[in-house]
Amino acid sequence: MNKRDFLPFRQIHLDFHTSEAIPGIGADFDPDEFADTLAKAHVNSITIFGRCHHGWIYYPSTKHPERVHPHLETNLVKEQIEACHKRGIRCPIYTTVQWDHYTSRTHPEWLMTDEMGMIQGTPPFEAGFYRWMNVNSPYTDFLKEHVTEMLELFDVDGFFFDIVQPRPSTDPYTQDKMRAAGLDPASASERHAFGIESLHDFKRDMSAFVRNIHPDCSIFYNAGHVGTRQRSVANAYSHWELETLPSGGWGYQHFPVTMRYARNVGGIDVLAQTGKFHTSWGDFHSFKNLAALQYECFRIIAMGAKCMIGDQLPPRGRIEKHVYELIGQVYAEVEEKEPWCQGATPISEIAVMTPEEWQGARATSLPGAIKGVSRVLEEASHQFDIVDSQSDLSGYRVIVLPDQIPVDDDLAAKLDGYVANGGSLIATFESGLSPNKEDFALSCLGVEKASDGPKDQNGNLVRGSNFTRGDYLNYLLPQGEIGAGLPPTEHAMYMRGMDVTAKAVAEILAPLIMPHFDRTWEHFCSHRQTPSSGETGNPAIVRNGNAIYFANPIFSQYHQNAPLWCKRLFLNALEMLLPTPLVSHQGPSTIFTTLNEQATENRWVLHLLHYIPERRGVDFDVIEDVIPLYNVPVSVRVDKQVTSVRSAPNSAAIPFEQNDGSVSFTVPEINGHEMVALAF
C-alpha cells in the first residue's frame, strides 16, 4: 500500500443511522440499481454501514443477533459490498464507537460519567443517542467481536471507526485503570490526560487487532477533527480523513487549516469529507448548491486531498438518483482533473505554527489566531503549511508564530537556530514568551517585556481580550516601509497588545500611540474607545535582523473583525522578509491559490479558485453563484527553465515570459476553478 497516495479520489460516506421505530429497513434495496447509480456518478469508493449510532447492525449477525435492526429485510452490508466490488468500487465499513444507543440502554455501567457521577451525554428524556460509551470498560470486548465477525463475513476494504474522542470520566472502570497507572482519579488534570492517553491506547490496540487479521485493511478513527493531538498516534491510522462539512458547523475555514497540518503528519494519504446536505448529517431530502459542492471538492483536490461527499441512505434502502445526479456533475469534473492531482505534493515556503498544540481545538472551535493568519495568507495567495513544535522547519523561508505560541527552552533553541542560519521569523503578541509568560524566551525577537499591562476591574489582564467597545485598546502609527499603503496616522488596535521595550540592537518599525485613558465607569468618552492622546508609547512593531515582532494580537483581531490595516501591516512585514513570493497575481483577494508539484510528470500545477461564500442566512455561509474572472496576470517564482505553460485539462497553451527567477503569464479565465500546468 502506497501510504502517501493510495486512496481513490471520488468517495461517498453513506450514513445509515436508522431508528427501530421505522419499518421496512432495506425493503426497496436493489443492489444493481445501487451500484449502477454510484458508477454513473463517477464514484469509486463508498463507506457503508455495519453498525450505526442507534446501535443496530445491518447484516444477519450470528454473534450478536439481538443487535440486528429489528426490521432489517435484507443483508445490506453483503449486498452493497458484492454489487460495488463487481464494478470496481471500494467499500470500507463504518461502525460506531462511543455513541451506541442500544448499548447505552442495555449496559449503562459501560457509560462515561462526569465529576458529579452523572452520565455524560443525552439526558433520559431528550431525543438523541449522544451518550458516551467508555472504551476502558468491557465494551471493547464487544467491539472486537463485532469487528471480527465483519472481517469473517465480508471482503473488507477498510474500517471507519466513528466518534473516537478523548473525554475525562469518573466511572469505576476508568478509576481502576487510573489507580493501576499510579494516577489520581480525583484530579481533573490527571483525568484529562488519562482520557487522551487511554483513547490512544484503544486505537493502537484496535489497529493491531485488525491488522493481525487483515494487514492491508485501511483504518481511520474519526473525532470530527484531525490536529496536533493525533501526531503521537499516527501509526494507528492508514490515512487521515478530515470531517469538514462547511454548513455543518465546521465552516469554510476548517478544511484548509486542518489540511495544511495533516498533509505533513505521518506520511499518509488524506481524504476530506464534505456533504451533499444543505446543512449537515441527517438532513434528509436536501441538496447542496452545485457551486458550493464544486468549490468544496475542487478546493480539496487543489490542496492535495481526495474527495468524499456525505449522504444518508433512506431507511427503505432506495438510493436517491437526484442526489447522485448532483454528485455526478461534480465528480465527472474531478475525474477529468485527476491526472493533474495524482501524486501531487504542495510547494510551501511559509510555516505557521499552530496554537492548537497548546490550546487544543475542536472541529467547530479552532483557535482564532490560526484562522486569522490563514485567512490573511490565503487572501494574499501565499503558499504555506501549518506546523507544530516537532515539525522540521529547515525547508521554509519564513516561520510565523501567531499570537499565542509559548516557547520553552527546546523550542527557543530550535527557532533561534533557524533564524541564525538565515531563516526569517514573524511573531505576534504573546508568541515567544516563556510558558510562564514572565519574559521572552526567544532572543531573536529583540524585545523584552516591560509590564503585564492593565487589568480590568476584576483584576484580570486585559491584553488579548476583545472588548466590544474597545475599552483598553491602543493605537498604532504606520510609518516607512511597514506602513506602505496606509495613511501615516493612528490606527485602532482593538485588542490590547503586549507592553514591550526594544533591545538596543533592534529597530522600532512602528510605535504605539496611547489613548487619553482606558474606558471604565470612572472615565469614558463617546460610544466606544477613547481617542488618541498623541502620546507615543512603547513599540508596536520591532525588527531585529530577520525577525519581526508585533506587540498586538493581529491575527486574533483579524479573525474577530478583519481590520484591513492589520492584514496590510503583516503583509508589509512579510514582504520585507520575503520580497519575491512563490505566487502572486493582480486579481482580487477572493482568489484562492495552491501550487503543487507532480515530480513524476516533471511539472508544477497552479490551482486558482474563485468562489465567494456569502452569509445569506443566519446559520452558515453558502455559495450559489460563480463569478468568473478574466485576464488575470500571475507570477510564479521558479528556479528552473519552464518549457511550457498550459491550462488544464484542455491543454491550451498560455504565452509566458521567464526572467529574474520568475515566470509570468496571464490566465485568460477563472470560471470557478482553473488549473495551470508549468512543464520543465
Side-chain angles (χ1 to χ4, degrees):
M1 182 186 294
N2 178 359
K3 293 175 68 177
R4 270 290 187 190
D5 194 30
F6 80 94
L7 294 171
F9 271 89
R10 291 163 272 119
Q11 305 196 38
I12 297 294
H13 183 103
L14 192 65
D15 258 17
F16 200 62
H17 303 293
T18 308
S19 170
E20 65 280 359
I22 297 177
I25 304 306
D28 296 338
F29 179 75
D30 182 322
D32 289 324
E33 178 189 41
F34 178 80
D36 286 343
T37 300
L38 295 173
K40 185 178 179 180
H42 305 267
V43 172
N44 51 15
S45 180
I46 181 168
T47 301
I48 61 171
F49 265 46
R51 181 169 130 267
C52 73
H53 289 334
H54 289 274
W56 298 125
I57 288 173
Y58 295 99
Y59 59 87
S61 171
T62 57
K63 291 189 176 182
H64 295 283
E66 74 284 358
R67 293 174 177 268
V68 176
H69 194 291
H71 305 299
L72 183 68
E73 297 194 13
T74 186
N75 189 337
L76 273 177
V77 177
K78 180 177 183 291
E79 293 191 31
Q80 287 173 335
I81 290 175
E82 289 180 350
C84 287
H85 280 182
K86 286 178 184 178
R87 293 158 179 82
I89 299 172
R90 190 171 179 270
C91 291
I93 298 177
Y94 173 107
T95 192
T96 188
V97 176
Q98 289 173 288
W99 291 343
D100 180 329
H101 187 62
Y102 178 90
T103 305
S104 74
R105 293 176 63 85
T106 56
H107 288 283
E109 74 277 11
W110 295 350
L111 287 165
M112 305 181 84
T113 54
D114 63 19
E115 64 276 6
M116 300 300 293
M118 305 295 288
I119 290 172
Q120 295 189 38
T122 309
F125 303 111
E126 183 176 306
F129 36 54
Y130 312 109
R131 298 178 190 91
W132 292 86
M133 302 305 304
N134 181 12
V135 297
N136 291 310
S137 74
Y139 176 58
T140 55
D141 297 331
F142 155 70
L143 289 173
K144 287 182 177 179
E145 291 175 359
H146 171 51
V147 167
T148 299
E149 182 174 50
M150 290 189 287
L151 286 166
E152 291 172 347
L153 292 176
F154 310 120
D155 183 8
V156 178
D157 294 316
F159 282 112
F160 181 96
F161 294 102
D162 199 15
I163 314 300
V164 189
Q165 299 182 19
R167 298 178 71 87
S169 182
T170 62
D171 68 274
Y173 293 107
T174 298
Q175 288 191 41
D176 288 346
K177 287 194 173 185
M178 288 186 68
R179 290 190 188 95
L183 300 173
D184 179 8
S187 166
S189 62
E190 293 191 24
R191 287 199 306 273
H192 174 79
F194 184 78
I196 294 172
E197 286 308 312
S198 63
L199 199 69
H200 286 350
D201 288 342
F202 164 78
K203 288 184 279 190
R204 294 186 187 101
D205 179 63
M206 181 62 80
S207 291
F209 179 80
V210 171
R211 288 167 179 163
N212 185 56
I213 303 172
H214 190 337
D216 295 326
C217 186
S218 66
I219 299 171
F220 179 73
Y221 300 93
N222 186 43
H225 174 68
V226 171
T228 56
R229 193 178 64 224
Q230 278 85 356
R231 175 186 280 278
S232 66
V233 73
N235 60 0
Y237 297 75
S238 62
H239 63 285
W240 300 123
E241 201 156 325
L242 313 182
E243 184 180 12
T244 179
L245 283 64
S247 55
W250 286 261
Y252 274 107
Q253 282 189 270
H254 180 267
F255 167 66
V257 168
T258 308
M259 180 60 187
R260 292 183 194 278
Y261 178 78
R263 67 191 184 187
N264 295 304
V265 176
I268 55 180
D269 211 350
V270 185
L271 173 65
Q273 293 182 3
T274 182
K276 70 88 187 178
F277 315 104
H278 180 64
T279 59
S280 191
W281 300 108
D283 186 358
F284 286 105
H285 313 298
S286 72
F287 300 85
K288 178 157 287 180
N289 297 339
L290 174 62
L293 194 58
Q294 287 174 325
Y295 172 57
E296 290 156 23
C297 289
F298 298 161
R299 187 170 64 160
I300 285 169
I301 62 174
M303 297 193 71
K306 311 298 174 58
C307 301
M308 174 173 271
I309 298 173
D311 183 26
Q312 183 146 342
L313 189 68
R316 294 184 67 85
R318 184 81 181 269
I319 193 168
E320 293 188 315
K321 68 173 185 175
H322 299 294
V323 168
Y324 288 88
E325 288 171 356
L326 169 66
I327 290 172
Q329 289 184 72
V330 179
Y331 272 179
E333 294 185 77
V334 171
E335 185 174 20
E336 190 178 20
K337 297 170 189 284
E338 280 175 28
W340 288 266
C341 304
Q342 191 77 47
T345 56
I347 304 173
S348 301
E349 60 185 350
I350 299 169
V352 179
M353 195 160 290
T354 177
E356 180 179 339
E357 181 174 353
W358 295 273
Q359 298 178 12
R362 298 195 309 274
T364 56
S365 59
L366 299 179
I370 198 64
K371 292 197 282 188
V373 66
S374 296
R375 290 203 66 152
V376 169
L377 288 168
E378 287 173 0
E379 289 164 6
S381 281
H382 282 290
Q383 305 304 301
F384 66 101
D385 289 328
I386 293 176
V387 301
D388 59 27
S389 65
Q390 299 180 55
S391 300
D392 179 5
L393 305 178
S394 60
Y396 298 103
R397 299 177 71 190
V398 180
I399 307 296
V400 180
L401 308 181
D403 291 358
Q404 293 171 314
I405 306 297
V407 175
D408 60 17
D409 291 343
D410 289 342
L411 185 54
K414 185 174 184 176
L415 294 172
D416 279 329
Y418 167 84
V419 173
N421 289 326
S424 296
L425 183 145
I426 298 176
T428 60
F429 188 48
E430 291 183 347
S431 293
L433 285 174
S434 60
N436 63 14
K437 299 187 180 183
E438 288 298 318
D439 209 341
F440 285 88
L442 201 53
S443 61
C444 67
L445 297 180
V447 297
E448 295 176 334
K449 191 172 82 168
S451 75
D452 281 327
K455 297 180 179 180
D456 64 18
Q457 61 185 10
N458 296 317
N460 300 312
L461 290 174
V462 303
R463 69 183 192 224
S465 296
N466 183 62
F467 291 88
T468 304
R469 297 182 183 272
D471 296 356
Y472 297 94
L473 98 174
N474 43 30
Y475 297 92
L476 184 149
L477 182 61
Q479 55 190 26
E481 193 174 3
I482 197 72
L486 297 174
T489 188
E490 292 96 329
H491 285 67
M493 306 302 284
Y494 299 106
M495 291 183 179
R496 186 65 166 252
M498 288 290 298
D499 184 24
V500 301
T501 56
K503 295 180 181 179
V505 294
E507 174 189 4
I508 297 176
L509 298 180
L512 288 172
I513 307 298
M514 307 310 292
H516 284 279
F517 46 77
D518 295 327
R519 181 183 178 89
T520 72
W521 69 274
E522 294 179 294
H523 35 66
F524 53 89
C525 178
S526 190
H527 297 288
R528 299 183 72 88
Q529 74 263 21
T530 309
S532 167
S533 68
E535 178 184 346
T536 299
N538 278 332
I541 309 174
V542 173
R543 179 171 187 173
N544 184 38
N546 285 347
I548 295 178
Y549 170 77
F550 286 75
N552 291 91
I554 57 173
F555 301 122
S556 298
Q557 187 65 71
Y558 196 76
H559 170 65
Q560 184 72 34
N561 53 22
L564 179 60
W565 53 93
C566 286
K567 175 165 72 171
R568 176 48 48 204
L569 288 164
F570 170 70
L571 294 178
N572 287 345
L574 192 54
E575 186 175 358
M576 293 165 69
L577 302 173
L578 188 65
T580 309
L582 270 170
V583 176
S584 59
H585 62 76
Q586 296 180 34
S589 62
T590 45
I591 293 176
F592 178 91
T593 69
T594 64
L595 184 63
N596 298 326
E597 179 179 21
Q598 285 184 296
T600 57
E601 305 294 335
N602 199 27
R603 70 186 176 202
W604 289 2
V605 180
L606 176 68
H607 294 257
L608 303 103
L609 290 89
H610 192 250
Y611 297 84
I612 304 176
E614 298 179 89
R615 186 56 60 98
R616 293 188 174 185
V618 173
D619 291 343
F620 49 81
D621 294 339
V622 298
I623 300 172
E624 185 172 333
D625 304 306
V626 179
I627 303 172
L629 301 173
Y630 300 96
N631 300 318
V632 179
V634 175
S635 178
V636 178
R637 194 186 76 247
V638 60
D639 58 2
K640 47 189 174 181
Q641 185 62 43
V642 175
T643 59
S644 71
V645 176
R646 295 182 178 275
S647 62
N650 62 16
S651 295
I654 298 176
F656 68 95
E657 295 182 358
Q658 186 170 5
N659 50 60
D660 298 327
S662 294
V663 60
S664 300
F665 50 90
T666 297
V667 179
E669 181 179 6
I670 305 174
N671 189 0
H673 178 216
E674 181 70 21
M675 297 184 296
V676 178
L678 284 66
F680 304 111

